[in-house]
Amino acid sequence: DESPVTLGSLLSVLLRNPATLGIVDHSFGIYGAAISPDGRLMAIGDDIGNVVVYDAATRVPVGRPYEVASGLIQNVRFSPDGDILAVSYMDRSIPVQRRGLVDLIDPRTRELRQRVRLPPLPEPASFVASDVVFLPSGRDLLVRTVHGDSPNGPASPMYRVDRETGAVTDRLQLGQHASSFYASETSDAQVFLTSMRDNRTWELDPERLRVERSWSVGDSVGA
């Protein structure tokens, strides 16, 4: 209920919390946000295809946004060294989606370094989500393409992508059905994801792209 009473209550709670440093009034719907490893930059991706990089201390934009024509930004991720920002998005000019799309950009200049187009899923979808995780070394990244009908869509393959060339160098498929839209990372840099229809949860070693452990329970989201 976006009313003066609701907003006033929200702001009063935020201002009482000493951990709150400031508020960013981003004008459009936010679909992804990330803080750089050194804490100096903040990136926000929105529903009109813009990625705005802010100075985290002043909350002032660092130059013009990075723009994806006809795009809806799904998520943003910084590399461990902070030199690359991975931007996953959907191209709304395409009525039927099959591929995951990721742009690798320089967060300071918003210059496009690589455009990654993942192999197509076997079934078309109203949208395909791309979930990005950088390897701890920062050399490569893992991109998982998830059918929009998750948890009922086909399995979600995970690809290792060369950060410099954008080429797919390895592939891992888990289960027979779509997994959750976003993976999480454990404290020891493993990758954790789950699938409701497969009733299975996996923990992966991202460097070797293999399953370390799995459990016979699954859901639509997990961490």
Side-chain angles (χ1 to χ4, degrees):
D1 178 21
E2 192 171 344
S3 66
V5 172
T6 302
L7 292 173
S9 298
L10 173 62
L11 290 173
S12 68
V13 171
L14 291 174
L15 292 172
R16 285 200 303 270
N17 182 354
T20 301
L21 302 178
I23 298 170
V24 173
D25 184 8
H26 192 84
S27 302
F28 302 97
I30 294 173
Y31 275 64
I35 299 290
S36 62
D38 62 8
R40 295 183 178 181
L41 299 177
M42 175 176 65
I44 289 178
D46 63 34
D47 58 0
I48 65 166
N50 287 337
V51 177
V52 182
V53 179
Y54 293 89
D55 182 298
T58 64
R59 298 171 298 284
V60 173
V62 181
R64 294 178 59 83
Y66 178 75
E67 299 179 7
V68 178
S70 304
L72 183 151
I73 307 302
Q74 294 171 331
N75 207 359
V76 289
R77 285 262 193 164
F78 282 95
S79 60
D81 59 13
D83 288 343
I84 292 291
L85 180 67
V87 179
S88 57
Y89 61 95
M90 180 182 75
D91 185 346
R92 289 187 289 195
S93 68
I94 302 174
V96 177
Q97 307 284 325
R98 282 182 179 269
R99 296 178 184 271
L101 302 170
V102 178
D103 283 0
L104 304 180
I105 70 172
D106 184 320
R108 292 168 180 82
T109 66
R110 274 78 60 212
E111 177 187 357
L112 176 64
R113 296 285 185 83
Q114 287 292 339
R115 175 156 288 171
V116 180
R117 290 169 54 85
L118 282 306
L121 289 172
E123 297 178 14
S126 57
F127 73 94
V128 173
S130 301
D131 183 31
V132 178
V133 176
F134 277 94
L135 297 182
S137 64
R139 183 184 65 253
D140 294 336
L141 57 151
L142 303 181
V143 185
R144 193 167 46 94
T145 53
V146 185
H147 194 280
D149 290 339
S150 178
N152 299 314
S156 308
M158 179 174 282
Y159 301 98
R160 185 195 300 270
V161 176
D162 185 295
R163 163 175 155 171
E164 297 301 321
T165 67
V168 172
T169 61
D170 203 356
R171 180 183 187 275
L172 175 67
Q173 180 172 314
L174 301 170
Q176 301 299 314
H177 304 280
S179 49
S180 54
F181 283 113
Y182 296 107
S184 63
E185 295 164 78
T186 67
S187 58
D188 57 352
Q190 305 290 80
V191 174
F192 174 95
L193 56 94
T194 185
S195 169
M196 176 185 285
R197 286 290 305 278
D198 285 314
N199 198 35
R200 176 65 59 176
T201 296
W202 299 272
E203 186 176 13
L204 310 180
D205 178 337
E207 290 284 359
R208 291 179 286 182
L209 197 55
R210 74 177 192 184
V211 176
E212 289 286 280
R213 294 187 294 172
S214 72
W215 298 268
S216 57
V217 59
D219 214 319
S220 58
V221 66

